[in-house]
Amino acid sequence: MADASFKDVPEIFEVDLGESLTARTESLSTFRELGPPDLVHVQKSTGRSGQRDFGSYHYVSGVDASSSASLAAYINSLTYNIEDDSGWFTKGTSWKVKNGRYCCFNAFSRVDVRVDVHIPGGVQAYVVDLRGERHEATPEIWQETFLSALLRAILYSDDPTYWLEAYRKLDPITNPEGELRFLQVAEALFMKGWQVGSDPEIQVATVVSNHLTAAIMKYFGDSGRFQYAANLFEKITAKEPEVASLLAKSYLGMNEEVKAVQIMASAVKQTPQSYTLLHVQCEFLRSKGKHELALKLARQAVNCAPSEFVTWEKLTECYIDLGQYENALLTLNSCPMFTYNGRDAHRNLTPARVHLPPKGTIVEILPERVKTEDDEADPALLRLPAPGLRGTWARAYALLTRLVSQIGWDELLKTRSSVFVMEEEYRMQKAQGEGPPQSAPATKVIHEDGTVSTPTRGASKAAAADDDASTRGMASPTQSAPDEDAEGEKGDGDSETLVPAANGLPSIRVTPDSAQEDAANGKENGVEGAGAGDSLEKPVQAADNQEGESGQAQSQEPFSFSNKRLCERWLDNLFMVLYEDLRVWTIFRAEVAHFKTQQVAYRKTGMEWEILGDLGVRLQHKEEAKEAYQRCLDSHRYASKPWSKLLDMYADEGDIQRSLQAAVRVAAYQFNEYAEMTYPTQIARCFFKLGQIHGHAKIQYTLLSMGLPEPVMKIMDGYLSYGQTFKVEGYDF
């Protein structure tokens, strides 16, 4: 069976012949948007009687899916890829590809286009619908399939959250002629773009907000060649005025601001209710520092599309720009949140074995792909909930971290308590409602369903607290009740304690199952003046889950809920997630400062440095995050994320030498994962960003000065060759 493997193509061997095809057919109805990458299944045989045939499959993107001939050509290329096991004196078992099947999902018509190739023999193309029935493949189906395959290749090219084993990525467009075909088909099918779905932050896909427009903007935007996108949108705007927002965005990308403003001015008269157009205007004004005007446009966009998350998100950003943090929190609280649906994927099957052949010289610079002690980390770091946020939840959390980076944790809690009903206020209101007649008159309570009622005298605690909305507040300094998270996020009562180390230096550790919250650190994120024994204030539990609490209201002053709102449960949970991040980050920075003053090396495993780097990025501490990623590289651990993050940081700084060093490592990791594509990739995007400043010639000479092996140099030259072929800015200097 080992002899039946391909030389340099990954593959998964089946337990039962054809099970991957059966699983794909059964899963067709579950594909919601673009669909998964193409599936290539081959059957291998020796041609001898009594010898069982083997089936294997792999995933691929970037193959030309414009006709059955191009897909059959890919399968035919695999026939020359089987390893030859011939010896000096004896000939080994000769395995050959008996037949193959290429499956490509058509995201427009929601069907699976399949091409059967028999060797020797003929080629048969057909369509399988969601019910598993066969139909004839028409020219319209092939056109849609071609574009669907291109969209997947572009959008899945460097998505870090989308990973499949034995997934081969090839260049979808290799020459200007292929790019022209892409533009022609995109223009023909543009009005159907909403059928392929949209990003998870978009509630309803439209002709402007969908995967097709996202792929066009990504493909031409990453290389700074917006003029081709502008030409396409210019033609479509004549038929669909709402596309003017994309046209204006393209002209802004070309630094043609006057032309862009003229387009926006004329388009807003035709489509005044287009929130995408209002957002382009809003972003332009923000870039010019006109935040008051941008705020008016953001408000209008919310009125035009109140059910879209992105409109509320933009309004929140405008309030933060203006320093109106209370309004920013209230707006964030109003954001409509959507269930996150990830990319379409195949059903995982148990393989007989997986064949992952090495990918040449470039991967020799990588560490061994084995688990070491550097892959272990403190449980407190591993259980941080923030890395698991996706879609609208991740975007809302990013707004929250931006707030805390500007005003600090303490000020954020004060702002939160000034706009939302807090637990102590809720309990005081209940106490007043349950008190004797001579006490202050009971205030009206606004319930979650919008009804207003007055708490009756002697009402039970359970009856009065019938709202399921969040009323978490700030922990009172005199309150000694134990804090337990009602949602299970913080139910183990983590604590930070100083424990003596072997060398006599105290080491700060995060230990579970403790009732204390002693963070031995100085406060970060704008919260200053904290000593080593101070702790971050933790938002207390919700009022509807407070059985057994003994805290009493400190003030009996009457107040009203009329000027406050109930905090949404999801936002309440995000505050707890932010608290966890800040708590761990504060401990980490205190440890670093402590060990620095003691002039002792501060050590962590590679995995811990990577997690801390991610944490620094989330909390917008770029320099500390960069330092953590750099420390992660000291360990011999197989991990591409630190190099990938550093590549983006170095490219943003314009540091050619370090960017190229990181790019070589990222390219090695990508090739080892069978991503054999040049563009659009992270490396190409960073190269072209540097090229706009320094020119491609300087990048070329810097690569030569690094003395790279010839196979590695050839791969790195491929990115510059793309720039030369497609005339990316900087290619001629």
Side-chain angles (χ1 to χ4, degrees):
M1 184 172 172
D3 308 334
S5 304
F6 290 126
K7 293 176 185 175
D8 56 2
V9 176
E11 55 184 332
I12 302 172
F13 284 87
E14 297 175 314
V15 176
D16 298 320
L17 184 63
E19 63 180 358
S20 61
L21 296 171
T22 304
R24 182 179 174 97
T25 304
E26 293 173 351
S27 302
L28 286 178
S29 59
T30 65
F31 300 157
R32 297 178 304 274
E33 297 185 340
L34 283 177
D38 302 346
L39 173 70
V40 179
H41 177 272
V42 294
Q43 182 178 345
K44 300 171 186 174
S45 172
T46 59
R48 299 178 182 177
S49 59
Q51 184 80 44
R52 188 166 71 94
D53 291 353
F54 289 115
S56 71
Y57 61 95
H58 66 273
Y59 307 110
V60 66
S61 60
V63 178
D64 181 3
S66 59
S67 67
S68 59
S70 58
L71 299 184
Y74 177 80
I75 293 179
N76 188 56
S77 69
L78 298 177
T79 62
Y80 305 102
N81 217 304
I82 292 185
E83 293 180 356
D84 187 7
D85 196 40
S86 300
W88 284 98
F89 302 107
T90 59
K91 184 172 177 63
T93 305
S94 178
W95 289 90
K96 293 183 179 180
V97 174
K98 184 178 179 181
N99 56 59
R101 183 172 296 175
Y102 195 106
C103 307
C104 186
F105 187 70
N106 181 330
F108 292 89
S109 297
R110 323 301 299 167
V111 295
D112 207 30
V113 175
R114 300 186 178 181
V115 175
D116 288 353
V117 180
H118 300 277
I119 303 172
V123 175
Q124 181 185 9
Y126 56 93
V127 171
V128 177
D129 63 18
L130 302 184
R131 295 184 298 274
E133 299 173 357
R134 290 195 181 194
H135 304 277
E136 183 183 353
T138 62
E140 292 76 17
I141 290 291
W142 278 115
Q143 186 183 51
E144 293 173 353
T145 306
F146 170 67
L147 186 56
S148 299
L150 278 176
L151 297 185
R152 284 191 292 269
I154 293 171
L155 295 177
Y156 294 1
S157 61
D158 53 359
D159 186 348
T161 63
Y162 192 80
W163 182 86
L164 284 173
E165 199 159 40
Y167 180 16
R168 192 181 183 196
K169 299 179 184 179
L170 305 176
D171 275 315
I173 298 172
T174 57
N175 51 52
E177 291 74 23
E179 185 175 280
L180 182 60
R181 286 177 61 202
F182 169 48
L183 287 169
Q184 290 172 344
V185 176
E187 181 183 356
L189 297 175
F190 193 89
M191 303 310 293
K192 291 184 178 180
W194 61 271
Q195 297 177 7
V196 300
S198 62
D199 290 335
E201 296 82 17
I202 304 296
Q203 172 78 326
V204 179
T206 65
V207 72
V208 176
S209 302
N210 56 63
H211 286 311
L212 174 56
T213 57
I216 293 171
M217 295 303 289
K218 177 181 178 180
Y219 180 81
F220 293 106
D222 283 1
S223 57
R225 298 182 302 126
F226 284 102
Q227 62 271 23
Y228 297 99
N231 291 338
L232 171 64
F233 296 140
E234 194 90 56
K235 299 173 187 175
I236 300 171
T237 303
K239 297 179 288 185
E240 179 53 64
E242 197 171 345
V243 182
S245 60
L246 296 173
L247 179 60
K249 191 183 295 186
S250 300
Y251 275 114
L252 288 174
M254 296 163 58
N255 293 320
E256 295 277 356
E257 293 183 349
V258 175
K259 181 71 172 173
V261 170
Q262 291 172 346
I263 290 169
M264 289 187 287
S266 61
V268 77
K269 297 175 183 177
Q270 290 181 280
T271 56
Q273 297 299 312
S274 171
Y275 77 87
T276 52
L277 180 61
L278 293 171
H279 277 184
V280 175
Q281 292 177 304
C282 181
E283 278 301 301
F284 177 69
L285 290 171
R286 289 177 67 196
S287 68
K288 300 299 179 183
K290 305 291 185 181
H291 298 297
E292 290 286 353
L293 293 174
L295 177 62
K296 293 180 180 179
L297 289 169
R299 284 175 177 162
Q300 181 62 24
V302 168
N303 292 333
C304 294
S307 62
E308 288 291 347
F309 170 84
V310 290
T311 57
W312 293 93
E313 178 190 38
K314 189 71 70 181
L315 182 57
T316 305
E317 290 174 346
C318 291
Y319 278 129
I320 296 175
D321 291 340
L322 290 167
Q324 299 180 21
Y325 302 118
E326 291 189 0
N327 286 336
L329 264 186
L330 287 170
T331 307
L332 182 59
N333 190 56
S334 302
C335 287
M337 308 302 284
F338 316 135
T339 302
Y340 175 74
N341 294 316
R343 305 275 194 196
D344 294 325
H346 290 89
R347 196 175 76 208
N348 290 327
L349 301 173
T350 303
R353 75 179 179 96
V354 179
H355 175 61
L356 302 174
K359 287 298 294 179
T361 309
I362 191 169
V363 300
E364 294 175 2
I365 64 176
L366 299 178
E368 288 293 324
R369 197 169 185 172
V370 293
K371 192 168 184 178
T372 65
E373 60 181 14
D374 276 306
D375 289 299
E376 299 175 357
D378 190 307
L381 295 175
L382 292 173
R383 69 166 180 255
L384 285 174
L389 296 174
R390 296 283 185 272
T392 53
W393 317 98
R395 297 268 285 263
Y397 186 71
L399 292 172
L400 209 53
T401 56
R402 185 184 170 200
L403 269 172
V404 82
S405 70
Q406 291 196 9
I407 63 177
W409 177 244
D410 285 347
E411 191 62 34
L412 179 61
L413 286 184
K414 290 177 184 176
T415 306
R416 177 173 176 256
S417 62
S418 67
V419 297
F420 298 132
V421 178
M422 295 292 102
E423 182 196 19
E424 290 185 10
E425 297 171 342
Y426 191 90
R427 288 188 304 182
M428 184 171 69
Q429 180 69 19
K430 284 202 308 173
Q432 290 177 352
E434 295 171 358
Q438 61 268 25
S439 63
T443 335
K444 292 184 181 296
V445 177
I446 303 175
H447 296 274
E448 188 183 16
D449 60 0
T451 58
V452 181
S453 65
T454 302
T456 56
R457 217 169 31 238
S460 67
K461 195 175 262 190
D466 61 348
D467 286 307
D468 193 30
S470 166
T471 52
R472 288 189 187 175
M474 194 165 46
S476 173
T478 60
Q479 195 170 345
S480 59
D483 289 329
E484 295 180 2
D485 188 274
E487 295 299 309
E489 294 173 2
K490 190 73 178 104
D492 52 6
D494 302 336
S495 71
E496 309 86 45
T497 57
L498 283 167
V499 294
N503 58 4
L505 291 171
S507 175
I508 305 171
R509 301 190 182 259
V510 183
T511 55
D513 302 324
S514 173
Q516 299 273 16
E517 292 285 352
D518 298 322
N521 46 37
K523 297 215 175 173
E524 295 289 330
N525 297 290
V527 185
E528 300 177 356
D534 295 334
S535 64
L536 286 169
E537 286 187 287
K538 176 186 174 184
V540 299
Q541 66 180 24
D544 61 333
N545 199 7
Q546 58 186 355
E547 289 82 5
E549 291 210 8
S550 57
Q552 296 295 323
Q554 295 179 334
S555 171
Q556 292 298 323
E557 295 180 7
F559 62 90
S560 172
F561 286 152
S562 61
N563 60 345
K564 289 196 174 188
R565 298 185 187 177
L566 294 174
C567 181
E568 293 288 343
R569 177 66 69 191
W570 64 263
L571 181 56
D572 205 12
N573 292 339
L574 286 187
F575 268 99
M576 294 303 300
V577 172
L578 179 59
Y579 168 77
E580 288 294 322
D581 272 359
L582 288 173
R583 185 174 62 84
V584 172
W585 180 258
T586 312
I587 296 168
F588 161 61
R589 296 308 302 169
E591 284 182 336
V592 171
H594 177 77
F595 278 78
K596 191 176 290 185
T597 57
Q598 298 295 325
Q599 297 183 343
V600 177
Y602 182 59
R603 302 189 184 282
K604 291 276 188 186
T605 66
M607 183 68 171
E608 288 174 336
W609 281 120
E610 182 180 312
I611 295 173
L612 290 168
D614 294 343
L615 179 56
V617 170
R618 285 200 303 274
L619 297 178
Q620 304 188 19
H621 293 288
K622 184 178 177 181
E623 289 303 317
E624 291 89 344
K626 183 165 72 172
E627 180 186 352
Y629 287 131
Q630 289 169 339
R631 293 290 298 273
C632 180
L633 304 180
D634 296 337
S635 63
H636 297 286
R637 174 172 168 264
Y638 187 92
S640 62
K641 182 189 281 187
W643 287 110
S644 178
K645 295 287 187 181
L646 287 172
L647 174 58
D648 281 332
M649 292 177 179
Y650 292 147
D652 290 338
E653 296 168 1
D655 190 333
I656 287 187
Q657 189 71 37
R658 290 184 175 181
S659 293
L660 294 183
Q661 290 172 352
V664 171
R665 296 304 193 285
V666 173
Y669 278 108
Q670 287 183 351
F671 266 73
N672 203 39
E673 299 290 346
Y674 309 100
E676 307 164 38
M677 63 188 304
T678 303
Y679 186 85
T681 57
Q682 180 196 13
I683 299 175
R685 183 174 65 250
C686 292
F687 269 35
F688 299 152
K689 187 182 295 183
L690 292 169
Q692 291 175 353
I693 304 170
H694 304 286
H696 289 197
K698 187 173 182 179
I699 298 175
Q700 179 74 41
Y701 295 142
T702 308
L703 279 172
L704 288 171
S705 69
M706 294 170 65
L708 299 172
E710 188 173 342
V712 179
M713 188 67 186
K714 184 178 179 181
I715 291 172
M716 303 311 294
D717 272 341
Y719 299 101
L720 297 177
S721 298
Y722 179 93
Q724 185 77 26
T725 302
F726 289 90
K727 295 181 171 52
V728 176
E729 184 180 355
Y731 80 98
D732 52 353
F733 68 89

